[in-house]
Amino acid sequence: QVQLAESGGGSVQTGGSLRLSCVASVYSYNSFCMGWFRQAPGNRREEVAILYRTTSTPYYADSVKGRFTISQDYSKNTVYLQMSSLKPEDTAIYYCAADSPQGGKCLTSPNDYYVWGQGTQVTVSS
């Protein structure tokens, strides 16, 4: 059953921008952490940006800090990832995922997330 669906990926040149969207098809009331993760060929899946939905508290990986912004439309069960100043190293499949907060905050490891979307490809060319 599909619960999360990403969209907005594509191919852009270095320095370009994309906005990814993730919509929850089935809402889970306790899935207050929603995040973006990415996986490049041959690499492990890594965290990109995570949002604690109740307070809109964000977390960003150092590699994207200052370039990416995570946001939400809470009523629509949708999270966004605005990506600017894209670099070739941002090329990856981007996944949306959901989890429950632990100890009052969102975890950052992809291993902790239990609901995943299908992924959307982002390709940045030089």
Side-chain angles (χ1 to χ4, degrees):
Q1 182 181 14
V2 177
Q3 293 184 305
L4 302 174
E6 305 95 334
S7 62
S11 297
V12 298
Q13 292 182 306
T14 297
S17 299
L18 286 171
R19 190 179 78 155
L20 307 183
S21 300
C22 173
V23 60
S25 299
V26 179
Y27 177 73
S28 179
Y29 80 97
N30 61 348
S31 297
F32 293 123
C33 300
M34 295 190 70
W36 290 95
F37 301 80
R38 67 187 182 187
Q39 188 167 18
N43 292 349
R44 292 186 174 91
R45 193 166 299 183
E46 64 181 7
E47 68 276 9
V48 176
I50 296 164
L51 189 70
Y52 185 54
R53 298 184 65 208
T54 302
T55 62
S56 295
T57 302
Y59 162 86
Y60 297 101
D62 289 341
S63 60
V64 306
K65 196 171 298 181
R67 300 188 297 121
F68 292 9
T69 301
I70 187 170
S71 62
Q72 69 175 332
D73 187 332
Y74 190 90
S75 65
K76 291 182 168 59
N77 298 321
T78 302
V79 295
Y80 306 94
L81 185 67
Q82 177 66 50
M83 305 184 294
S84 300
S85 301
L86 284 162
K87 304 294 185 182
E89 54 262 43
D90 296 317
T91 296
I93 300 175
Y94 283 70
Y95 297 91
C96 179
D99 193 24
S100 299
Q102 301 293 320
K105 62 181 180 180
C106 295
L107 302 174
T108 58
S109 171
N111 295 330
D112 296 311
Y113 284 71
Y114 63 92
V115 181
W116 291 86
Q118 84 287 355
T120 185
Q121 177 70 47
V122 171
T123 302
V124 185
S125 60
S126 59

